[in-house]
Amino acid sequence: MDEHRRHIRELRARAMRLPLLPGVYLMHDKTGKIIYIGKAKALKNRVSQYFGSERHHDRKVRQMVANVEYFEYIITDSEFEALVLECSLIKQHTPKYNILLKDDKGYHYIRITREEWPRISQAKQVLDDGATYLGPYVSSWATKESVDETLKIFRLPSCTRRFPQDIKKARPCLNYYIKQCCAPCRGEISCKEYNEIVNEAVEFLRGGSGNSVRTLTERMNEAAEALEFERAARIRDRLEAVKKIRERQKVVAVRVPEQDVIALAQGPSNACFEVFRFQQGRLCDRESFLLSDIGDPKAARAEFLERYYGMRDRIPPRISLDGPAASMELIARWLSEKAGRKVTLSLPQRGEQKELLEMCRSNAAEQVAQSTGRTGRETSALDELARLLGLDKPPAYIESYDISNLAGGENVAGMVVFEDGRPLKSAYRKFSIQSVQGQDDYASMQEVITRRFQEYFRQKDSGEGFGRKPDLILLDGGKGHVAAVRPVLESMGLGDIPLFGMVKDDKHRTRAIALDGGEISIHSHRAAFTLVGAIQEEVHRFAIGYHRQKRRKAVIGSSLLEIPGVGPTRAKALLRHFQTISAIQNADLAELEGAPHMTKPAARAVYAYYHPEEKAALDKESGLMG
């Protein structure tokens, strides 16, 4: 460890000797391999930051710095030249700690087999197999969507059965029963009619929904005039399916003819950039890029833009982002020069563009969820909460606290834990307030937080239970609770833990999130609102449940203390042994005598207290024995 610290100090000393000029820096590991490339407006300031205090670094940067053996740099005439050089060097060296995107863009085709019963499918290359190929298409997503929609509209089979070999050999699959397949396997559709449907499907793929609507309408009318009503009805059904597809396409049609929409969703350990590409006002392609820990979102967006458009020929005139990126003006200039026309980076705050970004972010969240086994809703909620509170990344481990008492009596607190957006009941804890008399919620909360993090320092090596540091603390209360607890955390060296309050309205529902200086409304943030509301309800339920349990035991205990010879210790022992007052009432004398901490006189007293009709007999027996 001392050797590592000495090495970091040496690197910092060298960094402090760098010029205050723009340029590119290259970090190398022990083998000499480049592991990170970055640009800077002032090399000295930027590079020296890496070798300063680790407290200001995220996990990704800490890992990178731990592997740096030495660095080199290249001075440029401007920050813009540094950006261009950085993009070129990253493409050349693909450093481990830069955001690297796999370019899976190739050509894709739609294949129509040439056989008695033709089939339509997606293909990645043209083979010399006699089939007809439509394309090439750049987007694999668009190609797959087109094939899937066509098969559903025209009710063509997507299974692996072969015709006519498999006709009438087995029951049709589910697609037939949900009216998504004409089921040639049933043997009720002729080869001629099947081929007519395939031809219509190919026309749809070649000409689009507009041409298909006109063609199908004409054929439907012709069939009706020829009194072929069954055929007309089948064409009508296909026509309706095409129209539905057109309506669905309108949902993602926008006023801006050509643009890209880019959104970021973060999970506890990974993240996803989603790109929606629009041409002629319609969604024509989408891409998802699942990445490991990305660190600072602003820096990550900038890196993503550089990498993504560094490997794309088409750059639209407008790119909508769901959040700010570092060096936006610089990147916009680079994109404009690369595209040969002005490119605008925008951050929509309302209207159609904002809705598009939300849809894009939901899809990114779904990709993150698929990789973690969580739901897209849970991932979206955590990501939205992080954005709302200004956190670097979604809080994977959230602790929430609530105080419960009645007129200052039986002061208790409850702590609940949500891990990855779900309750972690094994980590719930109860606190009986010890240092506060009367109703003082602020002082009670201070005691609870103090005790909880005293346990953290005792158990932190385990990394479990109290030994785990939360990513976020939510107090059931307003800014007063936050102001009372903040100094406690800071005095324990834990001021970096995000701390907020949960404010309720007059109907006891979550209204806002409180911080030291005010409140953040969360009504317009649906996913975060739902999550925080669930946390607040759960911690309140848990705390008040413990309070009721304590009060019930107190009442029970007080009734036992009325019995001669039964003090607090013996009352607790009886309750622990019999569990309930009812069980004590129903116990016979021998069972009471056999209970822990009980003597025969005490057992007789308890039995007589609950069986007054037998008290005289017990007293007489006790007198004879005496």
Side-chain angles (χ1 to χ4, degrees):
M1 182 61 73
D2 290 340
E3 181 64 30
H4 174 69
R5 287 175 180 164
R6 185 162 53 252
H7 180 58
I8 294 296
R9 284 197 295 269
E10 290 173 358
L11 289 172
R12 179 170 174 77
R14 185 180 172 220
M16 293 300 290
R17 294 193 294 271
L18 293 178
L20 287 168
L21 294 172
V24 173
Y25 53 92
L26 301 88
M27 304 289 190
H28 296 257
D29 64 10
K30 290 181 179 179
T31 66
K33 185 177 181 180
I34 298 173
I35 59 174
Y36 185 76
I37 297 174
K39 66 178 180 304
K41 187 175 183 179
L43 284 165
K44 174 183 175 181
N45 295 343
R46 185 70 187 99
V47 178
S48 62
Q49 287 176 354
Y50 287 106
F51 309 113
S53 173
E54 289 188 353
R55 291 176 56 190
H56 305 296
H57 296 331
D58 55 51
R59 184 175 62 178
K60 179 183 176 182
V61 173
R62 287 197 297 270
Q63 288 177 343
M64 185 272 288
V65 171
N67 288 284
V68 174
E69 181 67 18
Y70 66 96
F71 64 85
E72 56 182 329
Y73 61 95
I74 303 169
I75 296 173
T76 59
D77 290 335
S78 67
E79 189 181 3
F80 179 73
E81 284 189 15
L83 169 62
V84 175
L85 179 58
E86 178 199 34
C87 291
S88 175
L89 290 173
I90 289 173
K91 196 170 185 178
Q92 179 182 345
H93 296 285
T94 60
K96 176 181 178 181
Y97 289 100
N98 286 98
I99 288 179
L100 303 174
L101 307 180
K102 181 182 178 183
D103 187 5
D104 60 352
K105 284 293 178 187
Y107 289 119
H108 303 268
Y109 302 86
I110 297 174
R111 178 173 178 261
I112 302 100
T113 60
R114 187 168 295 173
E115 53 188 324
E116 188 179 2
W117 298 76
R119 304 295 288 267
I120 299 175
S121 61
Q122 183 184 11
K124 290 187 177 181
Q125 55 185 328
V126 176
L127 301 176
D128 187 15
D129 57 0
T132 299
Y133 288 86
L134 305 182
Y137 306 102
V138 175
S139 169
S140 63
W141 174 79
T143 309
K144 183 179 183 301
E145 286 283 297
S146 296
V147 170
D148 289 346
E149 286 176 355
T150 301
L151 295 179
K152 287 177 182 178
I153 289 171
F154 294 92
R155 298 185 182 180
L156 292 171
S158 58
C159 61
T160 57
R161 293 179 183 177
R162 298 177 61 82
F163 309 118
Q165 297 94 317
D166 294 333
I167 291 178
K168 291 187 176 182
K169 287 191 176 179
R171 295 177 61 186
C173 62
L174 178 64
N175 282 350
Y176 167 73
Y177 295 102
I178 61 175
K179 298 184 178 181
Q180 287 188 2
C181 182
C182 61
C185 55
R186 297 179 73 234
E188 295 184 8
I189 182 172
S190 68
C191 183
K192 179 183 177 182
E193 186 178 359
Y194 178 86
N195 274 270
E196 285 179 3
I197 296 172
V198 170
N199 290 335
E200 288 175 1
V202 173
E203 285 179 20
F204 171 74
L205 287 166
R206 281 181 169 145
S209 58
N211 289 345
S212 286
V213 167
R214 288 190 293 272
T215 303
L216 289 172
T217 301
E218 290 171 3
R219 289 179 182 172
M220 181 181 68
N221 293 334
E222 288 171 2
E225 289 173 5
L227 304 181
E228 297 175 358
F229 297 117
E230 288 187 8
R231 181 167 172 264
R234 287 195 293 270
I235 297 174
R236 178 203 62 203
D237 292 342
R238 290 198 285 275
L239 183 59
E240 289 301 315
V242 171
K243 287 179 178 178
K244 283 182 181 179
I245 289 294
R246 290 183 70 186
E247 288 302 313
R248 195 181 78 189
Q249 289 171 341
K250 288 179 185 176
V251 173
V252 288
V254 295
R255 295 187 187 93
V256 180
E258 185 180 3
Q259 70 167 332
D260 286 355
V261 176
I262 300 176
L264 167 66
Q266 288 182 269
S269 59
N270 57 5
C272 178
F273 278 100
E274 185 83 8
V275 183
F276 282 179
R277 312 202 80 180
F278 289 84
Q279 285 184 312
Q280 298 177 346
R282 296 189 182 278
L283 180 64
C284 67
D285 195 6
R286 59 170 286 195
E287 295 178 89
S288 301
F289 297 90
L290 198 63
L291 307 169
S292 56
D293 190 12
I294 60 167
D296 175 46
K298 289 179 67 175
R301 285 191 187 93
E303 269 201 85
F304 179 81
L305 290 169
E306 294 169 24
R307 300 298 86 75
Y308 182 76
Y309 290 106
M311 63 186 196
R312 292 285 178 267
D313 295 326
R314 185 184 76 82
I315 301 175
R318 176 183 175 127
I319 300 169
S320 294
L321 303 174
D322 68 330
S327 308
M328 284 184 66
E329 292 183 7
L330 204 65
I331 293 173
R333 179 185 167 190
W334 171 68
L335 290 170
S336 298
E337 292 202 4
K338 196 171 188 295
R341 52 170 161 70
K342 184 178 180 181
V343 175
T344 302
L345 297 179
S346 66
L347 302 172
Q349 299 300 311
R350 61 181 66 85
E352 175 189 77
Q353 292 292 312
K354 179 68 172 176
E355 291 173 5
L356 280 177
L357 281 168
E358 291 299 331
M359 183 171 70
C360 191
R361 188 187 298 159
S362 295
N363 280 269
E366 186 61 35
Q367 294 294 323
V368 174
Q370 291 287 337
S371 70
T372 58
R374 295 285 165 178
T375 66
R377 182 177 297 177
E378 290 166 343
T379 303
S380 291
L382 290 170
D383 183 57
E384 191 172 274
L385 184 61
R387 293 167 185 265
L388 189 64
L389 302 182
L391 308 182
D392 291 336
K393 62 191 301 184
Y397 198 79
I398 303 172
E399 290 183 1
S400 183
Y401 297 84
D402 188 20
I403 304 295
S404 183
N405 59 56
L406 183 63
E410 299 298 337
N411 253 342
V412 300
M415 166 188 138
V416 302
V417 173
F418 274 59
E419 185 176 38
D420 294 337
R422 296 181 184 177
L424 182 64
K425 296 197 174 183
S426 62
Y428 286 17
R429 295 293 184 269
K430 301 171 182 175
F431 296 84
S432 182
I433 305 301
Q434 300 168 355
S435 63
V436 180
Q437 297 297 322
Q439 192 167 356
D440 188 341
D441 285 2
Y442 294 165
S444 297
M445 194 69 83
Q446 287 174 329
E447 179 195 316
V448 170
I449 297 297
T450 300
R451 288 166 55 189
R452 184 265 179 266
F453 286 102
Q454 285 173 343
E455 288 300 315
Y456 165 72
F457 287 113
R458 281 192 279 267
Q459 302 179 31
K460 67 178 181 178
D461 290 340
S462 70
E464 298 178 355
F466 278 148
R468 184 171 178 180
K469 188 177 177 182
D471 300 315
L472 172 65
I473 295 175
L474 294 175
L475 308 177
D476 191 350
K479 58 185 179 182
H481 286 79
V482 176
V485 169
R486 176 83 63 193
V488 174
L489 291 175
E490 290 176 350
S491 68
M492 303 178 84
L494 299 169
D496 59 329
I497 300 177
L499 174 70
F500 296 90
M502 298 178 292
V503 185
K504 300 172 185 173
D505 59 20
D506 53 4
K507 294 182 180 179
H508 217 70
R509 295 176 301 193
T510 306
R511 176 176 60 80
I513 292 179
L515 35 85
D516 287 340
E519 295 179 359
I520 303 172
S521 175
I522 59 174
H523 282 291
S524 59
H525 303 268
R526 184 177 300 174
F529 175 79
T530 302
L531 175 61
V532 173
I535 293 172
Q536 189 167 35
E537 286 182 11
E538 179 67 357
V539 73
H540 180 70
R541 178 199 67 79
F542 187 65
I544 202 168
Y546 181 42
H547 178 247
R548 287 171 178 163
Q549 180 186 358
K550 288 268 292 184
R551 285 180 58 202
R552 190 162 51 248
K553 285 190 175 181
V555 171
I556 291 170
S558 64
S559 67
L560 287 172
L561 293 174
E562 293 176 3
I563 303 172
V566 177
T569 302
R570 191 164 280 163
K572 287 181 183 177
L574 277 171
L575 282 171
R576 194 177 300 114
H577 181 70
F578 289 101
Q579 299 296 315
T580 65
I581 285 292
S582 178
I584 296 173
Q585 288 174 332
N586 295 326
D588 59 31
L589 187 58
E591 289 175 324
L592 289 168
E593 289 175 348
H597 296 281
M598 291 297 287
T599 62
K600 286 187 176 182
R604 281 191 168 88
V606 172
Y607 187 82
Y609 181 83
Y610 291 112
H611 302 83
E613 71 282 359
E614 299 182 35
K615 185 176 184 304
L618 285 170
D619 288 345
K620 184 177 179 182
E621 182 183 342
S622 179
L624 290 172
M625 290 176 65

